[in-house]
Amino acid sequence: MSERDSTGGGAGKAPEPSGVDLARVALRAAREAARARGDAAQQRKQARRGGLRSGARADRRDPMALGSAISRLLTERGWEAPAAVGGVMGRWPEIVGEDVAKHCAPERYDEGERVLVVRCDSTAWATNLRLLAPTLVARLNEDLGHGTVRLIKVVGPGGPARRFGPLRAPGSVGPGDTYG
């Protein structure tokens, strides 16, 4: 370990979890501890009875409903926020309205930065969405949980492919100033 890392000034250090993340970690640890206590008691009981038996009562070996299995997987892996944001992408027209949804669509979500990237089909709609961004961030955080989306990054349409040929001046921007 270098001197810089031991003083806490390492550049590649991950941010400390806080708020909802700490609560999630604490809940997961409590569940695992309770499960371990229950497993130990179950093993002692089975040892007295003469070994592993299947019974009429439900236990953790029984098949699970698909919805329950997916919910458990999301919780165990800490994927609640990305799954919730994925649901937002499916409900985009309900959240922003039909008119805006026709011209602007969510493209991706960066979980580390908590940034939702939205692409618009014209610069006019991109400008309109930039003006609506604070309201949308508040609405999304109300729906998903505080701090899930910190910023909405609005990108305009991509311009046409740049073609080089005898009629193009070297280094010219061309129609690039009207796109984005």
Side-chain angles (χ1 to χ4, degrees):
M1 184 180 244
S2 71
E3 182 179 315
R4 183 164 200 196
D5 289 339
S6 65
T7 60
K13 197 172 191 182
E16 292 292 323
S18 64
V20 175
D21 296 330
L22 282 175
R24 230 181 252 130
V25 170
L27 178 63
R28 193 174 304 130
R31 283 182 179 165
E32 289 174 5
R35 189 176 294 126
R37 284 192 307 270
D39 287 346
Q42 185 72 20
Q43 287 174 357
R44 285 192 303 269
K45 187 190 261 186
Q46 287 174 355
R48 282 192 306 252
R49 282 193 277 165
L52 184 65
R53 295 184 184 173
S54 177
R57 292 184 193 92
D59 66 4
R60 64 181 178 82
R61 297 173 296 154
D62 289 342
M64 208 178 226
L66 181 61
S68 300
I70 289 174
S71 296
R72 183 173 154 192
L73 179 68
L74 290 173
T75 303
E76 287 175 355
R77 304 285 170 116
W79 293 340
E80 291 99 347
V85 173
V88 164
M89 293 189 182
R91 296 181 297 122
W92 184 252
E94 296 171 20
I95 294 169
V96 298
E98 291 294 326
D99 292 337
V100 176
K102 287 178 188 174
H103 301 282
C104 306
E107 212 170 66
R108 66 183 175 278
Y109 174 70
D110 182 4
E111 186 179 2
E113 298 290 322
R114 300 186 187 272
V115 174
L116 179 66
V117 178
V118 179
R119 180 167 299 277
C120 298
D121 61 3
S122 71
T123 55
W125 279 102
T127 303
N128 188 20
L129 196 65
R130 282 186 190 104
L131 295 172
L132 291 173
T135 307
L136 285 176
V137 168
R139 191 179 301 165
L140 289 170
N141 284 330
E142 189 178 296
D143 191 31
L144 302 172
H146 181 69
T148 304
V149 178
R150 187 179 55 82
L151 177 71
I152 293 180
K153 181 179 177 186
V154 181
V155 291
R162 294 188 65 188
R163 287 168 268 166
F164 298 99
L167 300 177
R168 299 284 303 189
S172 69
V173 176
D177 60 342
T178 59
Y179 296 96

Short mmCIF file of all heavy atoms in Angstrom, two decimals, residues 96 99-101 103-104 118 120 122-136 152 154:
data_model
loop_
_atom_site.label_atom_id
_atom_site.label_comp_id
_atom_site.label_asym_id
_atom_site.label_seq_id
_atom_site.Cartn_x
_atom_site.Cartn_y
_atom_site.Cartn_z
N VAL A 96 -43.98 12.18 -18.68
CA VAL A 96 -43.74 13.49 -19.30
C VAL A 96 -44.90 13.98 -20.14
O VAL A 96 -44.94 15.15 -20.51
CB VAL A 96 -42.45 13.48 -20.17
CG1 VAL A 96 -41.25 13.19 -19.33
CG2 VAL A 96 -42.57 12.51 -21.31
N ASP A 99 -47.21 14.48 -25.74
CA ASP A 99 -46.56 15.40 -26.69
C ASP A 99 -45.05 15.36 -26.56
O ASP A 99 -44.33 15.27 -27.56
CB ASP A 99 -47.06 16.83 -26.47
CG ASP A 99 -48.52 17.00 -26.86
OD1 ASP A 99 -49.00 16.17 -27.67
OD2 ASP A 99 -49.15 17.93 -26.35
N VAL A 100 -44.55 15.44 -25.33
CA VAL A 100 -43.10 15.43 -25.11
C VAL A 100 -42.54 14.05 -25.46
O VAL A 100 -41.47 13.95 -26.06
CB VAL A 100 -42.77 15.81 -23.65
CG1 VAL A 100 -41.29 15.70 -23.38
CG2 VAL A 100 -43.26 17.22 -23.35
N ALA A 101 -43.26 12.98 -25.11
CA ALA A 101 -42.78 11.63 -25.36
C ALA A 101 -42.64 11.33 -26.86
O ALA A 101 -41.81 10.51 -27.25
CB ALA A 101 -43.71 10.61 -24.72
N HIS A 103 -41.41 13.29 -29.02
CA HIS A 103 -40.21 13.95 -29.53
C HIS A 103 -38.96 13.70 -28.68
O HIS A 103 -37.85 14.00 -29.14
CB HIS A 103 -40.45 15.46 -29.64
CG HIS A 103 -41.59 15.79 -30.55
ND1 HIS A 103 -41.47 15.79 -31.92
CD2 HIS A 103 -42.88 16.12 -30.27
CE1 HIS A 103 -42.64 16.10 -32.44
NE2 HIS A 103 -43.51 16.30 -31.48
N CYS A 104 -39.12 13.21 -27.45
CA CYS A 104 -37.97 13.00 -26.55
C CYS A 104 -38.09 11.62 -25.92
O CYS A 104 -39.15 11.25 -25.44
CB CYS A 104 -37.95 14.04 -25.43
SG CYS A 104 -38.00 15.74 -26.04
N VAL A 118 -31.45 11.88 -22.06
CA VAL A 118 -32.65 11.90 -22.90
C VAL A 118 -32.28 12.50 -24.25
O VAL A 118 -31.64 13.55 -24.31
CB VAL A 118 -33.77 12.74 -22.22
CG1 VAL A 118 -35.00 12.78 -23.10
CG2 VAL A 118 -34.10 12.19 -20.86
N CYS A 120 -33.57 14.06 -27.90
CA CYS A 120 -34.71 14.71 -28.54
C CYS A 120 -34.50 14.72 -30.05
O CYS A 120 -33.37 14.71 -30.53
CB CYS A 120 -34.86 16.14 -28.02
SG CYS A 120 -35.19 16.20 -26.26
N SER A 122 -35.30 17.16 -32.15
CA SER A 122 -34.98 18.47 -32.71
C SER A 122 -34.39 19.36 -31.62
O SER A 122 -34.58 19.10 -30.43
CB SER A 122 -36.24 19.14 -33.29
OG SER A 122 -37.10 19.55 -32.26
N THR A 123 -33.70 20.39 -32.05
CA THR A 123 -33.09 21.30 -31.07
C THR A 123 -34.16 22.08 -30.30
O THR A 123 -33.96 22.42 -29.14
CB THR A 123 -32.12 22.27 -31.75
OG1 THR A 123 -32.81 22.95 -32.80
CG2 THR A 123 -30.93 21.54 -32.31
N ALA A 124 -35.29 22.34 -30.92
CA ALA A 124 -36.38 23.05 -30.24
C ALA A 124 -36.91 22.22 -29.07
O ALA A 124 -37.12 22.73 -27.97
CB ALA A 124 -37.50 23.38 -31.21
N TRP A 125 -37.12 20.91 -29.30
CA TRP A 125 -37.59 20.04 -28.22
C TRP A 125 -36.51 19.85 -27.16
O TRP A 125 -36.82 19.72 -25.97
CB TRP A 125 -38.06 18.70 -28.77
CG TRP A 125 -39.46 18.80 -29.31
CD1 TRP A 125 -39.83 18.89 -30.61
CD2 TRP A 125 -40.65 18.87 -28.53
NE1 TRP A 125 -41.20 19.00 -30.70
CE2 TRP A 125 -41.73 18.99 -29.44
CE3 TRP A 125 -40.93 18.85 -27.18
CZ2 TRP A 125 -43.05 19.08 -29.02
CZ3 TRP A 125 -42.24 18.92 -26.76
CH2 TRP A 125 -43.29 19.05 -27.67
N ALA A 126 -35.25 19.83 -27.57
CA ALA A 126 -34.16 19.71 -26.60
C ALA A 126 -34.15 20.93 -25.67
O ALA A 126 -34.01 20.80 -24.45
CB ALA A 126 -32.83 19.56 -27.31
N THR A 127 -34.34 22.11 -26.24
CA THR A 127 -34.39 23.33 -25.43
C THR A 127 -35.59 23.30 -24.49
O THR A 127 -35.48 23.64 -23.31
CB THR A 127 -34.45 24.57 -26.35
OG1 THR A 127 -33.32 24.55 -27.21
CG2 THR A 127 -34.47 25.84 -25.54
N ASN A 128 -36.73 22.87 -25.00
CA ASN A 128 -37.93 22.78 -24.19
C ASN A 128 -37.72 21.81 -23.02
O ASN A 128 -38.10 22.10 -21.88
CB ASN A 128 -39.10 22.32 -25.07
CG ASN A 128 -40.42 22.37 -24.35
OD1 ASN A 128 -40.58 23.07 -23.37
ND2 ASN A 128 -41.38 21.62 -24.86
N LEU A 129 -37.11 20.66 -23.29
CA LEU A 129 -36.88 19.68 -22.24
C LEU A 129 -35.85 20.17 -21.22
O LEU A 129 -35.96 19.87 -20.03
CB LEU A 129 -36.45 18.33 -22.83
CG LEU A 129 -36.57 17.16 -21.86
CD1 LEU A 129 -38.03 16.92 -21.51
CD2 LEU A 129 -35.97 15.91 -22.44
N ARG A 130 -34.87 20.94 -21.67
CA ARG A 130 -33.89 21.51 -20.72
C ARG A 130 -34.60 22.45 -19.74
O ARG A 130 -34.23 22.52 -18.58
CB ARG A 130 -32.80 22.26 -21.47
CG ARG A 130 -31.78 21.35 -22.08
CD ARG A 130 -30.61 22.11 -22.71
NE ARG A 130 -29.80 21.20 -23.48
CZ ARG A 130 -29.80 21.11 -24.81
NH1 ARG A 130 -30.57 21.92 -25.53
NH2 ARG A 130 -29.04 20.23 -25.42
N LEU A 131 -35.61 23.16 -20.22
CA LEU A 131 -36.38 24.05 -19.34
C LEU A 131 -37.25 23.25 -18.37
O LEU A 131 -37.49 23.68 -17.25
CB LEU A 131 -37.24 25.01 -20.16
CG LEU A 131 -36.47 26.02 -21.03
CD1 LEU A 131 -37.44 26.77 -21.93
CD2 LEU A 131 -35.69 26.97 -20.16
N LEU A 132 -37.72 22.07 -18.80
CA LEU A 132 -38.57 21.23 -17.96
C LEU A 132 -37.76 20.31 -17.04
O LEU A 132 -38.34 19.66 -16.18
CB LEU A 132 -39.48 20.36 -18.84
CG LEU A 132 -40.57 21.05 -19.62
CD1 LEU A 132 -41.25 20.06 -20.56
CD2 LEU A 132 -41.58 21.66 -18.69
N ALA A 133 -36.45 20.22 -17.23
CA ALA A 133 -35.61 19.24 -16.52
C ALA A 133 -35.74 19.31 -14.99
O ALA A 133 -35.90 18.26 -14.36
CB ALA A 133 -34.15 19.38 -16.95
N PRO A 134 -35.70 20.48 -14.35
CA PRO A 134 -35.83 20.49 -12.88
C PRO A 134 -37.16 19.90 -12.40
O PRO A 134 -37.21 19.18 -11.40
CB PRO A 134 -35.71 21.97 -12.51
CG PRO A 134 -34.98 22.59 -13.65
CD PRO A 134 -35.38 21.83 -14.86
N THR A 135 -38.23 20.19 -13.12
CA THR A 135 -39.54 19.64 -12.76
C THR A 135 -39.55 18.13 -12.94
O THR A 135 -40.07 17.40 -12.10
CB THR A 135 -40.64 20.27 -13.64
OG1 THR A 135 -40.53 21.68 -13.57
CG2 THR A 135 -42.01 19.82 -13.22
N LEU A 136 -38.94 17.64 -14.04
CA LEU A 136 -38.89 16.20 -14.29
C LEU A 136 -38.04 15.48 -13.25
O LEU A 136 -38.39 14.39 -12.80
CB LEU A 136 -38.34 15.91 -15.69
CG LEU A 136 -39.29 16.19 -16.84
CD1 LEU A 136 -38.60 15.96 -18.17
CD2 LEU A 136 -40.52 15.32 -16.73
N ILE A 152 -30.80 15.50 -15.41
CA ILE A 152 -31.24 15.01 -16.72
C ILE A 152 -30.37 15.69 -17.75
O ILE A 152 -30.35 16.93 -17.84
CB ILE A 152 -32.73 15.32 -16.98
CG1 ILE A 152 -33.60 14.51 -16.02
CG2 ILE A 152 -33.09 15.00 -18.42
CD1 ILE A 152 -35.08 14.73 -16.19
N VAL A 154 -29.81 16.42 -21.51
CA VAL A 154 -30.59 16.44 -22.75
C VAL A 154 -29.64 16.57 -23.92
O VAL A 154 -28.79 17.47 -23.95
CB VAL A 154 -31.59 17.62 -22.74
CG1 VAL A 154 -32.42 17.64 -24.01
CG2 VAL A 154 -32.49 17.55 -21.52
#
